[in-house]
Amino acid sequence: TGSALTADHVDSVRQKRRTLIAPDINLSLDKSEGSLLSDDFLETPDDLDINLEWEDDTPVASAKGPGGDGGDGTGRLWRTVIIGDQEHRIDMQVIRPYLRVVTHGGYYGEGLNAIIVFAACYLPDSGCADYNYIMENLFLYVISSLELLVAEDYMIIYLNGATPRRRMPGISWLKRCYQMIERRLRKNLKCLIIAHPSWFIRTVLAISRPFISVKFMDKIRYVQSLEELALIVPMEHVQIPKCVLLKNHFFLNERVY
């Protein structure tokens, strides 16, 4: 097994040009150690065990790692993944309400250049019960599933609109994500577009500069509206939450008046 899509699989997807149906996923936070000053400095997991099954020439996620998905006799569903040389179990039951945080938004340009949409409004409230446990499981889910979303170059659309501060990720979240995302995926990221940026998210990114590489910071772009976003990205398959649409409507009205 390998973490990347095989050449035969990629050729099959190019022939069919179907939208890659991937699991909705999310990232999390927790304390981590180590400096993150450059792309080449980090040691990241390069041997994620991710399996693909094929239905009608469309790749879909299946069991991951040696254990795969399974219950424990109590009605809870667990998924076993291998990150680096360590085995982790993901509590799929607890993250079920938050799986819309990350979706596949289609492709741009030529080939399999994926658009990954991150809707921060779907993150759990930091005041909810078992918040750290939920975020840890979401984090493991995204790290083990991102390979299914990305075959070549890709971009991330971060929908910041309509997100209360208590749902916004902090510096420790950014640091952990940057540390754990496999090196190829960091380098293949061509653009991180932040829609409806708030002063808070701008401040968080500014404070994050010491542990995020200059190359990565140069990939960040800000757009003030969904109309501006549509000038950059094909929006046909991009799923926009209703609350973000309302935020965009209010923003446009305020700008007119």
Side-chain angles (χ1 to χ4, degrees):
T1 60
S3 61
L5 298 174
T6 66
D8 290 339
H9 292 167
V10 171
D11 289 340
S12 176
V13 175
R14 283 203 179 101
Q15 292 170 6
K16 294 288 184 178
R17 291 302 297 173
R18 293 172 181 244
T19 300
L20 178 61
I21 300 177
D24 296 332
I25 51 180
N26 173 27
L27 310 178
S28 91
L29 75 145
D30 120 312
K31 295 181 181 179
S32 59
E33 297 180 356
S35 176
L36 299 168
L37 299 179
S38 69
D39 282 337
D40 293 329
F41 183 84
L42 289 172
E43 294 183 1
T44 55
D46 294 326
D47 55 350
L48 296 175
D49 284 352
I50 296 180
N51 300 323
L52 292 178
E53 293 178 352
W54 289 79
E55 296 179 2
D56 192 22
D57 294 320
T58 301
V60 294
S62 68
K64 295 174 174 57
D69 291 344
D72 58 3
T74 64
R76 302 189 76 85
L77 180 65
W78 298 86
R79 173 167 295 180
T80 302
V81 298
I82 305 297
I83 300 177
D85 58 354
Q86 295 189 7
E87 180 177 289
H88 301 270
R89 296 182 73 202
I90 302 174
D91 187 341
M92 301 299 294
Q93 184 80 12
V94 76
I95 65 175
R96 187 181 300 277
Y98 311 105
L99 295 181
R100 291 180 295 173
V101 170
V102 174
T103 56
H104 193 287
Y107 302 93
Y108 70 96
E110 300 296 330
L112 296 174
N113 301 318
I115 300 170
I116 309 302
V117 183
F118 189 100
C121 62
Y122 289 137
L123 283 169
D125 191 303
S126 59
C128 72
D130 299 323
Y131 174 75
N132 289 332
Y133 178 75
I134 293 170
M135 292 295 279
E136 176 62 22
N137 280 275
L138 286 170
F139 175 80
L140 293 173
Y141 187 39
V142 75
I143 295 303
S144 62
S145 302
L146 191 57
E147 288 277 358
L148 296 177
L149 300 173
V150 176
E152 297 177 356
D153 294 339
Y154 68 107
M155 69 167 62
I156 295 177
I157 300 173
Y158 183 95
L159 299 175
N160 185 69
T163 304
R165 182 170 175 177
R166 64 183 180 273
R167 293 179 184 266
M168 289 185 179
I171 296 174
S172 60
W173 179 89
L174 291 172
K175 185 174 182 179
R176 182 86 188 276
C177 293
Y178 188 84
Q179 180 184 30
M180 291 294 291
I181 292 177
E182 189 258 339
R183 183 172 300 171
R184 179 187 68 83
L185 294 176
R186 291 202 311 274
K187 292 188 175 182
N188 284 5
L189 176 65
K190 297 306 176 184
C191 189
L192 169 59
I193 303 174
I194 301 177
H196 301 125
S198 62
W199 67 267
F200 180 76
I201 196 68
R202 288 177 182 267
T203 301
V204 168
L205 288 173
I207 297 174
S208 302
R209 285 182 178 272
F211 61 82
I212 294 180
S213 72
V214 174
K215 290 181 180 179
F216 183 87
M217 296 299 292
D218 288 341
K219 297 176 182 180
I220 298 175
R221 295 183 60 177
Y222 298 102
V223 297
Q224 301 300 322
S225 68
L226 297 179
E227 287 71 20
E228 186 179 348
L229 178 63
L231 297 176
I232 306 172
V233 180
M235 300 289 287
E236 180 182 359
H237 299 291
V238 175
Q239 300 178 36
I240 306 294
K242 290 183 179 180
C243 60
V244 176
L245 291 173
L246 287 174
K247 171 71 175 180
N248 189 72
H249 176 72
F250 290 143
F251 171 79
L252 293 178
N253 285 342
E254 290 176 358
R255 189 165 62 176
V256 168
Y257 294 106

